[in-house]
Amino acid sequence: MPVLCCFAALLSVWALCQAQSDTQLPPGTPAIQLRLAGDKRKHYEGRVEVYYSGEWGTVCDDDFSIQAASVVCRELGYVEAVSWSPSSKYGRGEGRIWLDNVHCTGQESTLAQCQSNGFGVSDCKHSEDVGVVCSQRRIPGFKFISTLTNNIESLNVQVEDVRFRAIYSQRKRIPISEGYLEVKDGGKWRQICDAEWTDMNSRVVCGMFGFPGEKGYNTKVYKLLAKRRKKNYWGFGVNCTGNEASLHECKLGHQVELKGNLTCEKNLPVVVSCVPGRAFAPSHALGFSKAYRVEQPLVRLRGGANIGEGRVEVLKNGEWGTVCDDSWNLKAATVVCRELGFGSAKEALSGGRLGQGMGPVHMNEVQCSGFEKSLTECRFNRNSLGCSHEEDAAVRCHVPDMGFKKRLRLSGGRNPSEGRVEVLVEKNGSLVWGTVCSESWGTIEAGVVCRQLGLGFASNAFQETWYWHGDGSADDVVMSGVRCSGTELTLNQCLHHGKHLQCPKGGGRFAAGVSCSETAPDLVLNAQVVEHTTYLEDRPMYVLQCAHEENCLSSSAATATQASYRRLLRFSSQIHNNGQSDFRPRAAHHSWIWHECHRHYHSMEVFTHYDLLSLNGTKVAEGHKASFCLEDTQCEEGIEKRYECANFGQQGITVGCWDTYRHDIDCQWIDVTDVMPGDYIFQVVINPNYEVAESDYTNNVLKCRCRYDGHRIWTYNCHIGERLPHKISKPSHSS
């Protein structure tokens, strides 16, 4: 009997089978199998490998084409090919190079039908191994049938879909975390006999549906229901190790003898019950928890566009650092995902794919069993050095289906990533669509909308949308007074007015709108540069006239004489763009403001805030910096500078570059003339008004401890983030 196999899920080992086709292959067509191989890849891309004559081998890139790639992808069960790559992009294969000079029309059912030099006839090296990228969409109902014996033990289970079928009392709960487990095979939903079912199987199922763990359930209820229900069992058991990313990767268990109503007679259909992560746990009061909060403070995700993804950062000795991608794999990524209240990992990303971090690289060559409670329990190489932030590891996790996208839509935009924001609300007992009042609407609120819709980051927030013709029936304002912190999973979780709406301008043309982007910049200050360059300077008032005109001095300067001196706390700022797209001023070039005294343009009137705070947080002195010349002062190796403002050119900071505001330029200071001796907090905030969208605002704040004795100043313990470290070291720098 043919063995059913499964969708090769993310980073699954292989698609090891041949497509079942209604049309018979011409007599004499060689029997082959295909798989996609190579490290650090997604399941739908990789090096093309062919199993022929009892041996796996590769395909040479000579004469390969997108038509040949399409044949490969369809043979593997994908709808089409997106692209192909020459020169062993996915690493060099081993063994024979089975095919060379492959010519396909694109209509062939198998790569074996394409013209070539013949199997094993090649003058290529493995440096010429070809790779393909397939569309992620699967051919509906596609099945694999293994017709060859090849001593490969990892034949997987192929089913068309998997679901929880909740019992009536559970169906209105969001998310659905418990029910009969059913697989779709041959267009019909079927149950699995629980004769061989294990906790490891349940663990995998919960992980693929976005839940960190499994739990027990009321067996009496399901036994009672099982007696009343008509059952339709699947013909196989399942055998998971517990580390698979989804059920599709598990091996087949024993074959189940199908005997109608007598099938699985001594047992029951499989039921799985999962534990939702804290952010998704149902609550009688709120429907779900108010905002996402990490359960374990030792690990966090940063820089991700959507919930459940980001760069992995670890807290060690009071300092956050990153994880190197050497040996980074799905087991380690899954430990992170489950630790943070998500399901198993969909992808283990490498190469700083979700932005580069700052500070130390805390872990390298991480090795996890997959069952650790925290990434900090995994083994790693404590002596491995030399890992740069270009190798920062990241994850994408399975998250529960909360139905968030159904409650929100964008209308009237030129593409699916922009438009007027319309929300679904209950009004007079029925659900209606309406607009959001644009008063106080900003980048933070727009970011919550983009994340809720799975569209990434906000690139712009709009307070007028007259140029987007939305659904006329949804013109009425149904939500006003929206204020978000940025951590919310949905717009409805943000603070907003209740039943009594307040929106003087109304909706329609003044409704809130957004445009979303898959990538965003991420500005981060270099804490060490600030700490090592602080010093005091006494400067005469008569040379500070331009700075005074631009409000860079404290209020007492208004009555100061020209001969008097101002005491300035000076320092350098080195501002890195660690994101995935360039940082550009929101205002277009034509609307920048010319400042005659300094003779330069301001592209952002408020680019940074500089403050000196008392230990209880009261502001005692302040400064501010406009962006008069945002440019690439320096870049990482291999990255070219793109922005050199020179007072008339384009302004911005390229990904992988940084802009340095030196300590000796005007306004690069805090006026501390009126400050009394004592202990203070020195704070710098970049992009304080969130004028430009970023992937992470939590790293826009730099804080230092500061001691001033009336003559000298010591700055120490500079760090990125909201809170000061618990352990305060002694002052180490003075001027």
Side-chain angles (χ1 to χ4, degrees):
M1 188 171 179
V3 178
L4 292 170
C5 319
C6 93
F7 286 133
L10 291 168
L11 291 177
S12 64
V13 191
W14 303 301
L16 283 182
C17 311
Q18 188 176 15
Q20 181 181 22
S21 174
D22 294 333
T23 58
Q24 295 296 315
L25 295 176
T29 303
I32 65 170
Q33 289 181 10
L34 297 181
R35 69 184 183 193
L36 299 180
D39 294 331
K40 296 182 179 177
R41 62 182 182 85
K42 297 172 185 168
H43 64 100
Y44 50 85
E45 64 176 315
R47 181 176 62 248
V48 179
E49 295 197 350
V50 180
Y51 187 79
Y52 174 75
S53 190
E55 185 181 346
W56 283 105
T58 63
V59 178
C60 182
D61 59 18
D62 290 351
D63 295 336
F64 202 82
S65 64
I66 191 66
Q67 287 79 14
S70 293
V71 174
V72 169
C73 291
R74 285 202 310 275
E75 193 167 356
L76 289 167
Y78 299 98
V79 170
E80 60 187 351
V82 175
S83 63
W84 64 277
S85 306
S87 307
S88 62
K89 176 185 175 181
Y90 296 97
R92 300 184 183 192
E94 297 177 349
R96 304 281 291 274
I97 297 176
W98 275 128
L99 294 171
D100 188 8
N101 298 113
V102 176
H103 291 269
C104 302
T105 66
Q107 303 304 312
E108 294 85 356
S109 299
T110 169
L111 196 64
Q113 285 182 278
C114 298
Q115 292 182 0
S116 69
N117 292 350
F119 279 86
V121 182
S122 172
D123 58 358
C124 294
K125 298 177 181 177
H126 281 298
S127 58
E128 301 171 84
D129 286 343
V130 78
V132 300
V133 178
C134 302
S135 159
Q136 294 185 55
R137 288 189 301 134
R138 284 282 186 175
I139 296 171
F142 184 90
K143 293 185 184 178
F144 292 102
I145 292 185
S146 175
T147 57
L148 309 176
T149 54
N150 54 28
N151 300 320
I152 299 291
E153 296 179 356
S154 53
L155 282 176
N156 298 335
V157 188
Q158 162 74 31
V159 290
E160 294 160 38
D161 203 357
V162 183
R163 73 176 183 186
F164 280 142
R165 183 171 179 176
I167 60 175
Y168 185 77
S169 62
Q170 301 275 349
R171 282 177 193 167
K172 292 186 178 180
R173 290 170 67 91
I174 297 177
I176 294 175
S177 58
E178 179 179 304
Y180 290 107
L181 182 68
E182 297 187 334
V183 297
K184 196 175 188 181
D185 180 40
K188 294 183 178 180
W189 288 103
R190 305 176 191 275
Q191 298 82 45
I192 300 175
C193 181
D194 71 357
E196 295 181 340
W197 194 258
T198 67
D199 288 343
M200 290 299 101
N201 293 350
S202 294
R203 171 184 165 86
V204 170
V205 170
C206 289
M208 71 181 284
F209 283 118
F211 304 112
E214 71 286 353
K215 63 181 178 68
Y217 57 92
N218 187 339
T219 55
K220 291 181 180 179
V221 172
Y222 287 97
K223 281 182 180 178
L224 191 63
L225 286 170
K227 291 178 181 178
R228 301 174 184 173
R229 288 187 60 195
K230 183 180 178 182
K231 293 176 279 295
N232 182 17
Y233 282 104
W234 190 46
F236 297 90
V238 180
N239 184 12
C240 304
T241 66
N243 268 328
E244 294 85 355
S246 73
L247 189 70
H248 305 114
E249 289 186 21
C250 298
K251 295 179 184 177
L252 285 175
H254 290 106
Q255 192 168 336
V256 175
E257 188 179 353
L258 299 177
K259 299 183 291 185
N261 290 336
L262 299 179
T263 305
C264 196
E265 188 178 17
K266 296 179 181 178
N267 295 85
L268 296 167
V270 166
V271 175
V272 177
S273 182
C274 306
V275 182
R278 187 171 174 180
F280 308 103
S283 159
H284 295 295
L286 300 171
F288 38 82
S289 67
K290 201 63 173 156
Y292 169 63
R293 299 178 184 86
V294 293
E295 294 175 300
Q296 169 56 266
L298 297 178
V299 177
R300 69 184 185 186
L301 300 182
R302 287 289 181 268
N306 298 300
I307 190 70
E309 67 178 47
R311 178 179 62 254
V312 180
E313 296 188 350
V314 181
L315 185 64
K316 183 180 177 183
N317 297 330
E319 186 174 17
W320 287 101
T322 61
V323 177
C324 186
D325 64 12
D326 291 350
S327 303
W328 186 247
N329 59 21
L330 275 177
K331 285 185 181 179
T334 289
V335 171
V336 170
C337 290
R338 291 184 187 270
E339 176 179 6
L340 295 176
F342 306 113
S344 52
K346 291 192 288 188
E347 287 185 78
L349 300 167
S350 57
R353 283 268 302 280
L354 296 185
Q356 297 181 22
M358 291 283 284
V361 178
H362 281 326
M363 300 177 79
N364 193 3
E365 298 178 11
V366 177
Q367 291 184 316
C368 303
S369 69
F371 294 93
E372 292 85 355
K373 295 294 184 186
S374 169
L375 186 70
T376 56
E377 296 177 13
C378 298
R379 291 185 298 154
F380 64 98
N381 190 340
R382 299 175 187 274
N383 302 315
S384 182
L385 304 171
C387 211
S388 71
H389 286 296
E390 293 177 3
E391 301 169 85
D392 282 346
V395 299
R396 286 197 176 105
C397 308
H398 284 117
V399 296
D401 180 8
M402 302 293 290
F404 290 155
K405 294 181 183 179
K406 298 174 184 175
R407 307 172 197 173
L408 197 67
R409 69 186 184 191
L410 301 184
S411 182
R414 295 161 296 179
N415 58 63
S417 295
E418 68 175 22
R420 185 175 78 175
V421 179
E422 296 177 0
V423 294
L424 187 64
V425 297
E426 188 173 337
K427 200 171 184 181
N428 299 327
S430 59
L431 292 172
V432 296
W433 288 97
T435 57
V436 178
C437 185
S438 63
E439 285 186 59
S440 76
W441 185 258
T443 307
I444 299 293
E445 289 73 28
V448 172
V449 167
C450 292
R451 184 167 61 242
Q452 181 175 347
L453 291 171
L455 296 174
F457 304 103
S459 55
N460 275 299
F462 300 96
Q463 294 191 342
E464 289 187 13
T465 51
W466 53 267
Y467 34 79
W468 288 331
H469 299 291
D471 186 338
S473 64
D475 279 350
D476 290 345
V477 173
V478 295
M479 183 180 284
S480 65
V482 180
R483 290 288 178 90
C484 304
S485 68
T487 61
E488 297 86 355
L489 304 185
T490 70
L491 194 65
N492 200 51
Q493 289 178 353
C494 299
L495 292 172
H496 60 276
H497 295 148
K499 294 181 180 179
H500 303 290
L501 302 174
Q502 298 175 32
C503 191
K505 287 185 179 180
R509 59 177 292 182
F510 292 108
V514 301
S515 63
C516 306
S517 171
E518 291 183 4
T519 59
D522 183 21
L523 297 189
V524 188
L525 266 169
N526 189 319
Q528 277 192 323
V529 169
V530 173
E531 184 169 327
H532 294 163
T533 56
T534 51
Y535 64 98
L536 291 178
E537 181 190 22
D538 291 333
R539 199 163 175 80
M541 189 66 195
Y542 67 84
V543 299
L544 294 172
Q545 288 310 303
C546 281
H548 186 36
E549 191 178 296
E550 293 192 6
N551 299 313
C552 296
L553 300 175
S554 61
S555 57
S556 64
T559 56
T561 64
Q562 292 295 298
S564 64
Y565 281 75
R566 308 300 297 180
R567 177 158 287 182
L568 308 175
L569 169 58
R570 308 199 71 149
F571 57 95
S572 294
S573 295
Q574 191 181 95
I575 301 162
H576 294 245
N577 182 1
N578 288 352
Q580 296 171 275
S581 58
D582 296 353
F583 184 93
R584 297 288 305 276
R586 182 180 177 186
H589 196 287
H590 66 269
S591 59
W592 294 352
I593 299 171
W594 174 257
H595 285 254
E596 183 63 33
C597 195
H598 277 134
R599 298 196 62 78
H600 59 224
Y601 283 104
H602 284 183
S603 57
M604 292 174 67
E605 277 302 307
V606 182
F607 180 54
T608 48
H609 280 167
Y610 305 143
D611 298 310
L612 199 65
L613 312 172
S614 66
L615 296 184
N616 66 9
T618 306
K619 191 182 295 185
V620 295
E622 65 181 356
H624 89 282
K625 189 73 179 175
S627 62
F628 71 87
C629 186
L630 272 176
E631 65 179 358
D632 299 325
T633 308
Q634 206 168 335
C635 298
E636 293 170 5
E637 189 177 347
I639 297 176
E640 291 186 14
K641 297 179 182 179
R642 295 183 59 187
Y643 302 102
E644 185 177 5
C645 59
N647 212 24
F648 53 85
Q650 289 297 321
Q651 293 192 22
I653 307 176
T654 304
V655 175
C657 300
W658 55 91
D659 186 7
T660 302
Y661 282 79
R662 284 174 51 86
H663 58 86
D664 53 1
I665 62 175
D666 258 9
C667 298
Q668 188 60 33
W669 63 57
I670 297 177
D671 183 352
V672 295
T673 306
D674 307 317
V675 173
M676 300 296 291
D679 287 317
Y680 297 97
I681 296 169
F682 170 34
Q683 176 178 278
V684 180
V685 185
I686 320 169
N687 192 15
N689 297 338
Y690 311 116
E691 193 173 319
V692 176
E694 296 185 49
S695 61
D696 185 4
Y697 291 110
T698 63
N699 56 15
N700 283 28
V701 180
L702 175 137
K703 292 190 178 185
C704 306
R705 292 299 295 263
C706 198
R707 178 168 294 172
Y708 175 48
D709 68 358
H711 305 284
R712 294 174 300 171
I713 198 158
W714 291 267
T715 307
Y716 57 101
N717 273 7
C718 289
H719 71 287
I720 301 295
E722 286 297 325
R723 297 181 181 178
L724 286 163
H726 295 298
K727 296 179 181 177
I728 302 298
S729 59
K730 294 179 180 178
S732 58
H733 177 68
S734 64
S735 295

